[in-house]
Amino acid sequence: MPYFTKLLLLIFCLVLLVESRKHRRRRWTTHLDVQRASHIFKKNRDLTKAWKGKTEQLLRVDEHDFTMRPAFGGPAIPVGVDVQVESLDSISEVDMDFTMTLYLRHYWKDERLSFPSTNNKSMTFDGRLVKKIWVPDVFFVHSKRSFIHDTTTDNIMLRVFPDGHVLYSMRVTVTAMCNMDFSHFPLDSQTCTLELESYAYTDEDLMLYWKNGNESLKTDEKISLSQFLIQKFHTTSRLAFYSSTGWYNRLYINFTLRRHIFFFLLQTYFPATLMVMLSWVSFWIDRRAVPARVSLGITTVLTMSTIITGVNASMPRVSYIKAVDIYLWVSFVFVFLSVLEYAAVNYLTTVQERKERKLRERFSCSCGIPHSKTMMLDGNYSESDANSLAGYTRNQMVPEEEKPEKMVVHLAMSNESNSSRKRGLKGHVGLRIIQNTHAIDKYSRLIFPGTYIFFNLIYWSVFS
């Protein structure tokens, strides 16, 4: 029994010893894990603090007065500029402006931002640091509206190099004025300019220049406009003088645009030409068809007026004559002259008929021969009407000095056969009946088209 009791006590002690060791091991493992996690947390937190403090120490932003330009009191600080045009959004003839989106970059050196570096790597920041340091105060001259894109954050980038060189880039959309000349519209080319200049610093404090000359301006190959063909982008620079403040460096972004003519050919020139040609149709219509010729003339005149009004509605109210105005108004004059031409034809026809009535009354006594009849033959008689005059033969003619424009033929009754009377009528009366076309209509069929073609040759040779 004592041995059995001792054995149980020994087993119990061994169990207690094993459990105590397991418990100490668990506590030690947990303690190590906590220390390890705490160490990692402290390490990361310290790295963040250390990097923040290192950044402030390297840039020394709080140790300098950045309200003053670099090298204040010394020579002018050179600021290089380059531009990448992202898109040319719109050109407005009515407002005489254009809208452009571009990346504007500035390059200068500020020794106050220099920092020691073993690997010569630059540091990049967003727009928050821009508010703490000095940056060039470049603005767009003749700008109507402009803004820096801020989606999803301000599109501003600042890159600082160890030697103090700074790259400052922003994405801007600007709407600026463009002085356009519409004297050759729509066969015109327009040159628009975007101007950059320092607002506060004269050329004695800040010298703006294109960093790489003409290579400082880059454009996206996909830039295109619906009405214009972009011919050329180029840069220039010069000094601008203000009487109150002095001389300033000014940079210019020039681009030349040539208008696409095909749209205006379809919408303006072709309809106007067709209306002019349609007005010539009246020259082939019977001069006695008054409703047909008058309605055709009035319709073409009103259509030309509508075309002119539509073109002018989309254009600025300039005080000089445009090329399209010349073409449309000359076309309108041709249409209007075709209406006046028929007015002249109708008036001369009325005068001619009045003279014929007087002649008919004057020579009515010549019908004293028994069974005779006097008839007036004019353009209203067709060949079938002439053939129906089978009961008449030629008797006498009016003397040559008394002949009117329309022939008066006196016919006497005859007992000859119908066949012989028809042959005599064809031989004499058919030569005397005047065609139902006035001489003015005949000349107009040649003069109007010929003159209009000549005008088109001169117009396109001068303006194209």
Side-chain angles (χ1 to χ4, degrees), residues 184-189 258 261 265 269 323 456-464:
H184 285 68
F185 177 87
L187 306 170
D188 58 333
S189 295
R258 183 165 184 83
I261 187 60
L265 288 176
Y269 287 95
N456 274 272
L457 291 176
I458 295 178
Y459 179 87
W460 293 107
S461 61
V462 170
F463 291 103
S464 62

Side-chain angles (χ1 to χ4, degrees), residues 90-99 141-145 174-183 185 188 190-193 228 255 257 259 314-320 322:
S90 64
I91 305 290
S92 175
E93 291 88 356
V94 177
D95 298 327
M96 286 194 180
D97 59 23
F98 65 92
T99 301
V141 185
H142 306 307
S143 172
K144 294 182 178 180
R145 294 175 301 276
V174 55
T175 300
M177 182 180 63
C178 178
N179 292 323
M180 301 183 184
D181 182 13
F182 297 105
S183 58
F185 177 87
D188 58 333
Q190 303 293 343
T191 299
C192 297
T193 303
F228 290 93
F255 55 96
L257 306 172
R259 197 181 305 273
S314 59
M315 293 296 299
R317 293 176 175 84
V318 295
S319 59
Y320 49 85
K322 304 181 290 292

Side-chain angles (χ1 to χ4, degrees), residues 6-20:
K6 291 180 180 180
L7 182 61
L8 289 177
L9 290 174
L10 181 61
I11 293 174
F12 180 74
C13 291
L14 290 175
V15 172
L16 290 177
L17 180 62
V18 171
E19 290 295 331
S20 63

